[in-house]
């Protein structure tokens, strides 16, 4: 909805009967948090934190070595409430009913011509998030979706940058950092997948699906934000090219640590 005048703003405030809170989101974009009149779809804003604070878009990460976030992307699927009832996503270019891709790019901060990412989970109209006492979801994609032909899948399941092969399926998370002279990457996905070739899907689930289940109790307050704590995810990892984890040979130590960290409190509902 485009706001063209102060009269329109006043009318919208009367109509919504709610307080408008301006805040600066990823990329320095002004967003209206928790305002029903911007969209009738209930939603959760997704933010990146480090050291207990939001990471300003384009700024150096608060860690040694002058590192920057190049991009972070991850799939969320099978969103459910405390009674295990499904909470379908609104369908758009970033979401199907069962899965959503969160995408944050460093280019969003420095180049206005770049395509903007997707920083929120938008749910179907009619869902009442205020009645949800617990959110559960999977970080990644289920076996039945993971190994399908990406060329025949709807967006965002057809992105080549988030796909390995039919045999191993999608990258569930793609996190990449860079510094002046080095880089670090974490690509999460299923391993131990058995099929006739890399261009054939497995007939059974992979030995290590690496599909992480997340369950979050409703916090006090607005409960309008899903936070990914990068420092918790990277605990015990010294970023450097040789410490990357893309599940190639020789990356066992870093991958084991990152998988262990994902089993902890990496996500928070605020």
């Amino acid at each position: 909805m485009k706001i063209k005048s102060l009269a329109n703003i006043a009318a919208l405030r009367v109509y919504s009967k709610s307080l408008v809170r301006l805040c600066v989101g990823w990329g320095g974009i002004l967003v209206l948090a928790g305002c029903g009149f911007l969209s009738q779809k209930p939603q959760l804003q997704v933010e990146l934190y480090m050291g207990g604070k939001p990471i300003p878009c384009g700024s150096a990460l608060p860690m040694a070595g002058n590192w920057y976030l190049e991009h972070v992307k991850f799939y969320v699927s099978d969103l459910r409430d405390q009674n295990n009832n499904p909470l379908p996503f609104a369908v758009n270019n970033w979401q199907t009913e069962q899965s959503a891709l969160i995408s944050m790019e460093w280019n969003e901060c420095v180049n206005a011509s770049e395509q903007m990412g997707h920083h929120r989970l938008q749910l179907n109209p009619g869902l009442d998030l205020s009645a949800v006492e617990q959110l559960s979801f999977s970080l990644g994609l289920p076996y039945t979706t993971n190994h399908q032909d990406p060329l025949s899948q709807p967006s965002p399941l057809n992105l080549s940058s988030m796909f390995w092969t039919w045999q191993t399926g999608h990258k569930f998370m793609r996190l990449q950092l860079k510094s002046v002279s080095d880089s670090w990457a974490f690509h999460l996905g299923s391993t131990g997948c058995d099929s006739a070739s890399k261009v054939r899907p497995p007939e059974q689930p992979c030995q290590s699906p690496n599909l992480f289940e997340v369950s979050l109790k409703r916090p006090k307050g607005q409960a309008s934000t899903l936070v990914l704590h990068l420092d918790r995810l990277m605990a015990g990892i010294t970023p450097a090219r040789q410490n990357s984890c893309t599940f190639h040979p020789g990356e066992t130590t870093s991958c084991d640590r990152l998988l262990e960290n994902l089993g902890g409190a990496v996500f928070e509902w605020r």
Side-chain angles (χ1 to χ4, degrees), residues 14 19 33 36 55 75 94-95 110 120 129 135 150 153 172 265:
V14 171
L19 178 64
I55 302 173
Y75 284 107
W94 296 99
Q95 304 182 164
V110 297
R120 60 188 58 84
L129 268 179
L135 275 179
Q153 295 244 63
F172 298 159

Side-chain angles (χ1 to χ4, degrees), residues 117-180:
H118 188 237
H119 313 155
R120 60 188 58 84
L121 297 174
Q122 294 174 307
L123 306 183
N124 269 357
L127 288 177
D128 184 8
L129 268 179
S130 65
V132 176
E133 295 300 323
Q134 178 175 297
L135 275 179
S136 298
F137 61 86
S138 298
L139 174 64
L141 297 170
Y143 164 74
T144 52
T145 301
N146 190 30
H147 302 278
Q148 294 185 24
D149 180 2
L151 298 179
S152 63
Q153 295 244 63
S155 184
L157 301 173
N158 57 2
L159 301 180
S160 60
S161 63
M162 294 297 291
F163 194 78
W164 277 329
T165 65
W166 280 11
Q167 185 181 60
T168 49
H170 291 78
K171 300 171 188 175
F172 298 159
M173 173 179 278
R174 181 171 178 160
L175 169 61
Q176 297 195 193
L177 308 184
K178 64 179 180 179
S179 67
V180 174

Side-chain angles (χ1 to χ4, degrees), residues 74-119:
F74 58 91
Y75 284 107
V76 171
S77 64
D78 193 22
L79 189 68
R80 308 175 304 282
D81 67 9
Q82 65 275 7
N83 297 315
N84 212 35
N85 295 317
L87 301 173
F89 296 112
V91 177
N92 55 44
N93 286 337
W94 296 99
Q95 304 182 164
T96 67
E97 278 197 347
Q98 293 80 31
S99 59
L101 177 64
I102 296 300
S103 176
M104 299 179 181
E105 296 273 1
W106 181 77
N107 281 335
E108 295 176 30
C109 314
V110 297
N111 190 345
S113 66
E114 290 290 329
Q115 180 182 2
M116 299 307 295
H118 188 237
H119 313 155

Side-chain angles (χ1 to χ4, degrees), residues 16-28:
S16 66
K17 297 182 181 179
S18 63
L19 178 64
V20 177
R21 181 170 61 90
L22 283 174
C23 63
V24 179
W26 178 264

